[in-house]
Amino acid sequence: MTLRPEKRIFVALDTASLERGLELARSLKGLVGGMKIGKEFYTSLGPAGAREIAAESMPVFLDLKFHDIPNTVAGAVRATIPLQPAIINVHTAGGRTMMEAAKESSVEESRRLGCNEPLVLGVTVLTSLDDTDLMDIGISGRPLDQVQRLAALAQESGLDGVVCSAG
């Protein structure tokens, strides 16, 4: 199935306000594919806030970038499935075992609950990082090289896609 371009766009809810989030979701309904709920909105409003946005018939991308030991990430992913997100993500730097655990727990919990399985995406290199930042954390080479390495690892680990900088 090919989605129309506007259905592929998820708009970021970079707010801690439920009222602003709902206003955005309502005004964009039918114009975009869904809403991206990040750490600011989720930390402030939690699962209840995500449910409110989803109740507007807007698919939700839970942009929480899970990154921890495999068991913890698997548990976090499992805990998101009752919210029925369209998309969730993890940091690819967490490694193959962590990504496999995330994908496996997503599949298993979705089947157990009888709901649609979300896409599990891997975040490669944050858009804010440049060559110097990567060197500071012990990664030599260009960000593009690291993106390509981590994207390949995400694919080998069974993830549905990656999130990476366009430039």
Side-chain angles (χ1 to χ4, degrees), residues 23-42:
E23 177 185 315
L24 281 168
R26 289 173 183 145
S27 69
L28 294 169
K29 188 174 179 178
L31 300 174
V32 298
M35 305 306 292
K36 182 174 76 72
I37 295 176
K39 291 183 190 308
E40 182 179 3
F41 188 92
Y42 198 83

Side-chain angles (χ1 to χ4, degrees), residues 57-111:
S57 298
M58 289 293 275
V60 169
F61 172 1
L62 283 179
D63 182 22
L64 301 178
K65 298 179 187 78
F66 296 123
H67 185 182
D68 210 313
I69 63 173
N71 190 53
T72 299
V73 169
V77 167
R78 194 175 304 109
T80 68
I81 301 303
L83 299 173
Q84 297 188 25
I87 306 169
I88 58 177
N89 61 7
V90 300
H91 270 288
T92 55
R96 179 186 313 273
T97 304
M98 186 206 75
M99 288 188 280
E100 290 172 345
K103 181 63 180 176
E104 182 179 319
S105 67
S106 172
V107 170
E108 289 175 358
E109 191 66 1
S110 296
R111 286 182 183 156

Side-chain angles (χ1 to χ4, degrees), residues 137-160:
I137 59 172
I139 299 170
S140 61
R142 302 173 307 150
L144 176 61
D145 298 331
Q146 182 69 353
V147 167
Q148 290 173 332
R149 253 189 313 278
L150 292 172
L153 183 60
Q155 183 177 32
E156 293 166 12
S157 301
L159 297 191
D160 299 300

